[in-house]
Amino acid sequence: MSTLIIAEKPDQARAYMDGLGLKHKPKDHVAKGQTFLDPTTTVIGARGHLIELSEPEAYGQQFKDRTNLKELPLFPSKFLYDIPKENSFLFSEIRNEIGKADRIIVATDKDNEGAAIAFNIIRFSNGFNKKIFRAYPSSLDKKAIQNQFRQLEPIAQSWREAMAAIARSRSDWLIGMNLSRLYTTKLANEGIIGNYAIGRAITATLSLICIWNANIANFKKHSIYTLKAMGEIDGQDLQFISNIKTTGSDKLLNPKKEYISLLKKNGFLKKQIQCRVANISSDIKEMYPPILLTKGSLYKAMDKAYGWSQAKSKNIMQKNYEDGYQTYPRTDSGLIAKNQYEYLKKLIPNYLAAIHYTEKFIPYQLPDEKLKKYLLDIDTNAAHQGIIPSEKIMDDEADVTEDQRKMYDVVVRHTLTIFQSPYKYVSNVLKLQSNDVTFITRSTGLVDIGWKKLLLSISKQPNELLEKVIEYSKYFRKDDIVNLNLYTDISETKPLPLLKQIQIYDGGGLMENAYKYVENKTYASILKKVKGIGTSATRDTILESLINKKYIYVDKKDQIHVTPNGWLINKLFNNSIISSPVLTAKWETAYKKIAEGGFSADNLINATVKLVQKEFQRVQTDWNSIDIQEYYKNTKKKFDNQISIGQCPQCNSPVIYCKDIKNKGKYNAFRCSNKECNFVIFERYWNKKISEKNIKRLLNRQYTTQINGIKSTSDNKTYSAILELRYSPEKKRQIIAIKKKINTKDHL
Ligand SMILES: [Zn+2]
């Protein structure tokens, strides 16, 4: 007999080889040998989806011209698949192994996509006549791997899940292929050139960002009037806040008038009043640690602790996973399995030693009722779990980078919080009353730092001292009379800040919280349950597409602006379900039914065909060239001025900052927004990054202040200089040149 194990990716395959004791080289994706499963066991790793839906061209020559709208929409009667060139060698290798094997174990990721990856490989290798089983990987640690291959399960459920994923990919294809071509061509005919990718996830995410930014753009400042008061204990000031507060709004344009009338009604138009003590309380409050790390919350934790970008965190979490120290990184679940909880508990001393934690650590057993919050339901077959350290300890001998250790430290600390006592603080409240108005003052202090202590050294927590807590009961008794001096606090309502990239993902990000933007309660609750649009694995890609398709623009402060192209697409899909998270909710309902076996994949695909037809009709009836042109022109003007850092010296158009995504920022530049103008200055002059202040100065006054530390690569000398803009006949544009060299120091 022979057994073939199919992994989803090479690193997963290598972990299986290690777990099963098969020898391999560091980069091998296939290994053979004897294991406890079978004397001839083969482990092979795919590279995600090896087989893809074909491009429209595969359905006929008439689809070759992307601008030919006459042939659209395209609804294949049979979907065609391609094996992209770069996958063909690997695919034939796997097909060969499938042909030779008596038994296949599918060990791809534990979700619909993982099931579909294996299904398509086996389908196109004609392997369904073999005995097929399922194993579910979670951690790439040796023991976990052996356990998972000892508990093989039947494949039937996975194949139903594969059907759901296949229905999803075909439906996404129908929307993406047809509508992207339709809109890119229609808008090009209007002279509004762009790469208008339309899709369920990308268009809905764009719409959420537009809602956010429109709220900021339409924000109107209003005043807030709050009645506050000062009292006294032992010569120490006490500040009270009352429940008299009026906030201006579009409906309440004069909050001051209402505020004064409230004061009048209560007889508060004087400076000093007398109040009665209504209540004195002192409570100990407990806070339990948050659920375990997800990809999004680990991004945030690394940003907070070390200022890491998501790209860096993503890279390091993949490394720690591949090296077997951390569990699967692309997860939006913060819950773990009972057996994971058990091994964590056992290994606490090893983890503490690994991160060199020298403080006292007294393990705490969470009460069962509280522990439930962190554990996966035994019945749910959740694909992903929270990010925790695996059973393999990153000790001092481990061959890892400093960055890997930094992340491991953060992951261990966050994980061990669930073995620490709750954070406790005392909250003392003094409540005074006059007529119907209450005046409250509070004093809080730390009683037990509990689990927060673990996170202290990686991010500072506010540390209120217990000694400073005022015990009001020492000074007051119920119904005592207290003198207060009234005053009015005037503040203003503030707009929400612009979104940053980190706020788009999970960990409470915009995509995960899409349900908040859905009015229908049923759909909102589905979206909440499935954690919004996209999956933890695809959200990064959706955000990247939004940037690459030039729907959004990320400025130097990492703030997200919507481009004119983005606003235009948002407007054109304003009344369509394509731009609503509701479509994702509807599809999720369908996947569930398909995976349960009660619903055919064709039902979802047919519904999508109808939706695409409706969208084509809508374009025919609703398209308004004048309206579109006007809207685009106005939006572009606003956008250019909003993000401009100065005027182009050649054509007076706004100059904007352009990030160089392809080369990781190497050629970040300030470019003229007028497409016919060639003006550009790069952010770096030789090795030196020029500040935005100096770029602005260059545009306004043609020269910079003195810039130190410019190192010429031609002679390796460091010097200081004032730079200026000068016309280059060679490049036929203004360039940066040296106006005046200040000094020259020899390079040592
Ligand atoms: Zn220009």
Side-chain angles (χ1 to χ4, degrees):
M1 212 177 89
S2 65
T3 295
L4 173 69
I5 296 171
I6 303 176
E8 184 156 332
K9 34 209 162 186
D11 57 88
Q12 200 176 44
R14 288 190 287 271
Y16 296 164
M17 297 169 198
D18 292 337
L20 297 170
L22 291 177
K23 273 189 190 146
H24 67 92
K25 293 203 190 90
K27 297 260 158 176
D28 283 352
H29 66 281
V30 58
K32 290 166 194 280
Q34 183 171 356
T35 67
F36 70 83
L37 286 163
D38 198 313
T40 46
T41 306
T42 305
V43 175
I44 193 158
R47 263 196 315 261
H49 288 280
L50 292 183
I51 295 148
E52 287 170 7
L53 280 159
S54 304
E55 294 287 311
E57 290 82 326
Y59 297 91
Q61 283 302 308
Q62 68 272 33
F63 298 109
K64 217 163 189 180
D65 176 4
R66 298 179 64 97
T67 64
N68 180 3
L69 297 185
K70 273 186 234 142
E71 302 293 336
L72 295 183
L74 161 60
F75 301 123
S77 52
K78 183 176 188 287
F79 282 87
L80 303 177
Y81 283 82
D82 269 335
I83 298 163
K85 242 190 202 155
E86 66 271 20
N87 294 340
S88 64
F89 185 78
L90 179 59
F91 174 72
S92 58
E93 211 182 348
I94 300 179
R95 190 181 48 198
N96 253 332
E97 295 297 341
I98 290 175
K100 285 190 276 180
D102 300 308
R103 175 170 79 154
I104 301 169
I105 299 174
V106 171
T108 49
D109 286 355
K110 190 180 176 176
D111 51 20
N112 291 0
E113 294 303 321
I117 286 168
F119 181 88
N120 275 335
I121 291 176
I122 297 175
R123 177 182 166 208
F124 286 94
S125 304
N126 299 315
F128 283 129
N129 55 338
K130 311 270 170 173
K131 276 183 227 157
I132 306 173
F133 294 90
R134 186 67 160 114
Y136 292 111
S138 59
S139 155
L140 291 189
D141 168 82
K142 261 189 194 174
K143 268 189 219 154
I145 285 164
Q146 289 188 2
N147 282 339
Q148 92 207 4
F149 284 110
R150 284 201 169 94
Q151 296 162 12
L152 296 179
E153 290 182 33
I155 193 71
Q157 176 55 31
S158 278
W159 285 168
R160 283 193 293 270
E161 287 162 14
M163 288 307 112
I166 287 168
R168 200 257 329 132
S169 66
R170 290 179 182 180
S171 298
D172 272 329
W173 186 95
L174 289 172
I175 292 175
M177 286 300 161
N178 284 306
L179 296 181
S180 302
R181 283 187 174 205
L182 175 66
Y183 277 85
T184 302
T185 308
K186 287 286 280 182
L187 288 172
N189 293 343
E190 301 287 348
I192 306 175
I193 312 289
N195 187 347
Y196 296 96
I198 308 296
R200 175 180 53 94
I202 192 172
T203 310
T205 306
L206 174 63
S207 137
L208 296 180
I209 298 173
C210 286
I211 292 173
W212 188 283
N213 285 24
N215 278 338
I216 297 172
N218 300 331
F219 177 81
K220 281 192 211 100
K221 228 194 258 175
H222 290 287
S223 301
I224 307 169
Y225 291 84
T226 314
L227 178 67
K228 292 188 178 174
M230 292 303 276
E232 204 195 278
I233 291 181
D234 265 359
Q236 198 187 334
D237 285 339
L238 292 181
Q239 196 191 52
F240 290 82
I241 185 159
S242 80
N243 56 349
I244 291 189
K245 179 179 181 177
T246 54
T247 306
S249 68
D250 294 345
K251 281 180 197 152
L252 182 65
L253 292 170
N254 194 347
K256 188 175 177 180
K257 195 177 156 199
E258 175 160 325
Y259 175 74
I260 289 175
S261 84
L262 279 172
L263 294 187
K264 217 183 221 169
K265 195 179 120 198
N266 287 286
F268 289 164
L269 283 174
K270 50 192 173 190
K271 270 218 155 153
Q272 207 176 58
I273 57 159
Q274 288 194 323
C275 289
R276 184 179 57 81
V277 173
N279 193 24
I280 306 168
S281 65
S282 176
D283 289 305
I284 302 275
K285 306 221 166 163
E286 285 184 343
M287 255 172 81
Y288 285 86
I291 53 166
L292 295 134
L293 290 165
T294 63
K295 183 176 76 164
S297 60
L298 182 52
Y299 278 166
K300 281 187 187 157
M302 294 314 295
D303 177 44
K304 200 171 166 193
Y306 297 107
W308 285 12
S309 67
Q310 294 110 275
K312 180 164 184 180
S313 295
K314 191 177 166 184
N315 187 1
I316 304 297
M317 58 174 102
Q318 180 66 21
K319 266 193 190 154
N320 275 354
Y321 167 68
E322 284 178 23
D323 290 349
Y325 295 111
Q326 276 168 222
T327 52
Y328 189 64
R330 285 175 290 285
T331 173
D332 49 18
S333 161
L335 309 186
I336 54 173
K338 190 79 204 281
N339 70 312
Q340 291 180 309
Y341 175 78
E342 294 301 338
Y343 85 66
L344 288 172
K345 194 165 143 188
K346 225 169 30 194
L347 294 173
I348 290 172
N350 308 50
Y351 294 131
L352 292 174
I355 63 165
H356 297 274
Y357 190 81
T358 49
E359 312 269 339
K360 208 163 165 193
F361 189 99
I362 303 162
Y364 172 84
Q365 173 71 43
L366 282 165
D368 283 354
E369 207 33 50
K370 298 284 175 193
L371 182 60
K372 265 193 351 208
K373 184 179 127 187
Y374 305 92
L375 298 185
L376 283 164
D377 218 323
I378 292 174
D379 302 327
T380 53
N381 215 357
H384 298 143
Q385 289 120 38
I387 300 176
I388 55 171
S390 62
E391 286 170 84
K392 182 175 173 186
I393 307 286
M394 190 187 281
D395 55 23
D396 289 354
E397 270 78 60
D399 181 21
V400 293
T401 64
E402 221 20 66
D403 284 342
Q404 280 181 277
R405 285 195 191 277
K406 277 184 181 161
M407 179 174 282
Y408 189 71
D409 183 83
V410 170
V411 170
V412 166
R413 284 169 185 271
H414 275 265
T415 304
L416 295 187
T417 56
I418 62 169
F419 298 100
Q420 290 283 267
S421 55
Y423 171 82
K424 280 186 202 152
Y425 63 97
V426 58
S427 169
N428 293 346
V429 180
L430 171 64
K431 200 163 146 191
L432 309 181
Q433 189 100 27
S434 171
N435 301 330
D436 290 336
V437 183
T438 49
F439 291 87
I440 288 179
T441 189
R442 284 193 168 82
S443 180
T444 55
L446 184 67
V447 176
D448 179 5
I449 182 110
W451 57 271
K452 283 199 179 189
K453 189 175 171 191
L454 269 166
L455 307 182
L456 264 182
S457 61
I458 47 173
S459 61
K460 284 213 171 101
Q461 305 277 350
N463 213 346
E464 316 93 353
L465 289 174
L466 196 53
E467 300 88 73
K468 288 204 177 157
V469 175
I470 305 167
E471 278 180 52
Y472 301 115
S473 56
K474 274 193 196 162
Y475 307 93
F476 300 103
R477 231 152 270 249
K478 198 166 186 297
D479 294 328
D480 279 356
I481 299 297
V482 180
N483 286 325
L484 290 183
N485 289 315
L486 299 177
Y487 69 96
T488 299
D489 180 272
I490 306 170
S491 56
E492 275 172 343
T493 54
K494 286 194 191 93
L496 288 166
L498 285 165
L499 288 163
K500 294 191 168 188
Q501 291 193 65
I502 217 157
Q503 290 169 280
I504 302 290
Y505 301 106
D506 34 60
L510 196 63
M511 293 172 84
E512 187 176 301
N513 282 343
Y515 72 92
K516 289 186 179 166
Y517 297 82
V518 171
E519 276 176 29
N520 180 302
K521 278 187 184 151
T522 314
Y523 292 135
S525 90
I526 293 169
L527 277 169
K528 195 173 177 185
K529 217 166 155 191
V530 303
K531 302 194 168 154
I533 306 170
T535 65
S536 192
T538 59
R539 282 186 196 123
D540 292 353
T541 331
I542 294 166
L543 187 66
E544 270 165 34
S545 298
L546 283 169
I547 298 171
N548 290 336
K549 306 293 176 197
K550 299 208 162 63
Y551 284 142
I552 59 172
Y553 166 85
V554 181
D555 69 16
K556 285 183 118 174
K557 291 179 195 148
D558 197 40
Q559 300 178 126
I560 294 175
H561 303 262
V562 179
T563 67
N565 295 22
W567 284 115
L568 182 57
I569 287 298
N570 180 60
K571 176 185 156 69
L572 293 172
F573 280 89
N574 200 10
N575 295 315
S576 162
I577 193 171
I578 303 272
S579 72
S580 166
V582 166
L583 186 59
T584 293
K586 285 189 166 177
W587 285 20
E588 287 291 344
T589 320
Y591 309 153
K592 221 179 145 213
K593 285 189 193 157
I594 297 169
E596 283 165 359
F599 196 69
S600 138
D602 284 340
N603 289 25
L604 176 58
I605 296 166
N606 292 338
T608 311
V609 165
K610 281 202 190 111
L611 172 61
V612 172
Q613 276 166 340
K614 208 172 121 193
E615 287 296 313
F616 270 72
Q617 259 158 26
R618 200 171 63 87
V619 165
Q620 279 209 324
T621 52
D622 294 4
W623 195 269
N624 183 335
S625 291
I626 299 170
D627 207 26
I628 290 171
Q629 297 273 1
E630 191 75 3
Y631 181 81
Y632 184 77
K633 209 175 79 192
N634 291 338
T635 319
K636 180 161 169 26
K637 204 167 156 191
K638 240 190 266 169
F639 175 78
D640 287 345
N641 288 327
Q642 184 191 355
I643 63 164
S644 160
I645 65 146
Q647 266 184 1
C648 170
Q650 295 174 189
C651 76
N652 292 333
S653 300
V655 170
I656 57 175
Y657 179 71
C658 300
K659 255 190 189 165
D660 168 32
I661 307 163
K662 277 183 201 147
N663 300 296
K664 290 183 180 167
K666 202 169 163 193
Y667 300 112
N668 287 344
F670 299 86
R671 291 176 194 276
C672 180
S673 58
N674 171 1
K675 277 181 191 145
E676 273 137 46
C677 174
N678 65 355
F679 178 73
V680 58
I681 35 181
F682 293 97
E683 192 180 26
R684 289 180 175 278
Y685 181 77
W686 292 111
N687 67 319
K688 186 76 187 177
K689 193 167 161 184
I690 307 169
S691 69
E692 193 172 309
K693 231 179 181 177
N694 258 328
I695 300 276
K696 279 182 182 160
R697 215 183 137 97
L698 264 178
L699 296 174
N700 286 333
R701 300 205 221 170
Q702 275 77 50
Y703 61 92
T704 65
T705 53
Q706 178 178 325
I707 297 175
N708 299 325
I710 299 173
K711 194 165 99 182
S712 154
T713 45
S714 54
D715 58 5
N716 237 346
K717 278 178 183 166
T718 302
Y719 54 88
S720 303
I722 290 172
L723 304 176
E724 67 171 355
L725 282 178
R726 190 188 295 160
Y727 185 74
S728 154
E730 258 170 70
K731 294 192 171 155
K732 297 202 170 66
R733 61 172 166 86
Q734 300 264 351
I735 58 159
I736 292 191
I738 292 171
K739 180 181 170 77
K740 192 178 158 203
K741 238 185 203 182
I742 313 283
N743 58 37
T744 311
K745 251 190 271 165
D746 283 332
H747 179 70
L748 296 174

